[in-house]
Amino acid sequence: MYVGVPNPNILMPVQKMKIKVTAGKLKGTEITVLYNPEQYVQSRSINMSKENIIGANGQESQIPSGTSEVVSFTLFFDAMSAGAEVGGDFGDSVLFAANSLLPSAAKVLDVRDYTEKIYSLMRFDEDIHSVPPVKLMWGSFQFEGYLAKCTQHFTKFNESGIPVRATMDCEFHQVLNLKKDAEMSAFGSPDTTKYRTVTQGDSLWSMAIREYGAAEQWRLIASANGLANPRRLRTGDRLVLPAIVD
């Protein structure tokens, strides 16, 4: 029989990751994951382009432009088990505990009820004309952005064909900190007027997030370019992104 210091995770369970919506119709909604991811991956990339400089004998200068930080991880969902390792709110804990006592054919929890909470974060919110921004909170890890890509894998089903186990590959893109980015580069400063060419897949709200750090600033871009319908952008159009003046 082992006698010694107990596993600290038994005395103090590992904190569960929380996903909190920070704007829009779902503002304040907080999702607690059922199981923490085993790992998360952070990535960022830099693009180098060349431009001719007027008055510099036709010389070319390389100008770096960076993408926002990306965080990706896989979440696990299992509606068959229960225990201290399962997250969610108090009501979820009661449901999982009761469900675990039932025979397999009688288990009633559908794992889609839990995956849908996260998957729905990619739905367009009419109030803010964008997908809802969120804040990821997991101990010392804090990240603000939006769910840009999510793939669901349903891997186990009960006798009735209801999915009871799933994984979700999630990719969150950062919402930039305007003050910090302005200090890093004058090219990214929100108080400088810029011009951008519309590429396939662009939208005013995504441009507003990249340039100003706030999806709500799409109205500023629409007004500056006389766009009556913000959803109708044509690839190749050149838009002015006006400076934000305090």
Side-chain angles (χ1 to χ4, degrees):
M1 179 178 178
Y2 171 77
V3 178
V5 178
N7 185 336
N9 288 332
I10 296 176
L11 301 177
M12 185 179 296
V14 178
Q15 180 182 5
K16 298 297 181 184
M17 175 185 286
K18 296 181 184 296
I19 304 173
K20 185 175 183 179
V21 180
T22 57
K25 293 179 181 178
L26 299 177
K27 182 178 181 179
T29 299
E30 192 169 276
I31 303 168
T32 303
V33 304
L34 297 184
Y35 297 88
N36 283 329
E38 294 184 354
Q39 64 177 1
Y40 64 88
V41 178
Q42 292 178 282
S43 63
R44 186 191 294 270
S45 63
I46 294 294
N47 302 316
M48 300 296 291
S49 61
K50 293 184 178 182
E51 288 189 3
N52 291 322
I53 301 178
I54 298 176
N57 299 320
Q59 295 179 351
E60 292 184 333
S61 174
Q62 288 190 327
I63 301 176
S65 61
T67 62
S68 60
E69 186 173 14
V70 175
V71 169
S72 57
F73 49 79
T74 298
L75 293 177
F76 176 70
F77 299 81
D78 186 358
M80 300 288 284
S81 63
E85 78 280 4
V86 180
D89 57 27
F90 177 75
D92 293 331
S93 299
V94 173
L95 282 175
F96 275 85
N99 192 66
S100 66
L101 301 176
L102 299 173
S104 178
K107 293 184 185 296
V108 295
L109 287 183
D110 187 331
V111 76
R112 291 172 297 188
D113 293 338
Y114 298 90
T115 61
E116 179 61 24
K117 293 178 182 179
I118 295 174
Y119 201 64
S120 65
L121 295 176
M122 291 189 297
R123 289 184 181 146
F124 193 82
D125 188 326
E126 294 288 348
D127 284 3
I128 56 176
H129 293 270
S130 76
V131 294
V134 299
K135 182 175 183 179
L136 306 181
M137 301 171 288
W138 187 18
S140 61
F141 174 70
Q142 305 281 313
F143 183 90
E144 293 188 55
Y146 59 96
L147 182 59
K149 184 177 181 180
C150 184
T151 303
Q152 301 188 82
H153 305 270
F154 297 103
T155 58
K156 187 173 183 178
F157 306 84
N158 66 11
E159 286 82 349
S160 301
I162 296 175
V164 294
R165 185 173 295 165
T167 58
M168 298 183 78
D169 298 324
C170 302
E171 185 176 292
F172 290 84
H173 289 199
Q174 181 185 37
V175 172
L176 301 178
N177 183 308
L178 294 184
K179 186 177 295 185
K180 180 179 179 181
D181 287 344
E183 293 172 354
M184 289 174 60
S185 171
F187 292 106
S189 174
D191 59 3
T192 302
T193 298
K194 296 176 287 293
Y195 296 87
R196 294 288 183 266
T197 300
V198 177
T199 59
Q200 187 173 3
D202 271 342
S203 63
L204 289 191
W205 69 265
S206 63
M207 285 186 175
I209 288 178
R210 288 198 303 268
E211 301 297 335
Y212 305 119
E216 296 85 350
Q217 295 291 356
W218 70 268
R219 296 180 179 85
L220 184 66
I221 303 174
S223 176
N225 292 276
L227 298 175
N229 188 343
R231 294 189 180 184
R232 301 186 67 176
L233 296 182
R234 294 186 301 179
T235 300
D237 281 354
R238 190 166 174 80
L239 301 181
V240 58
L241 276 64
I244 293 181
V245 181
D246 294 333

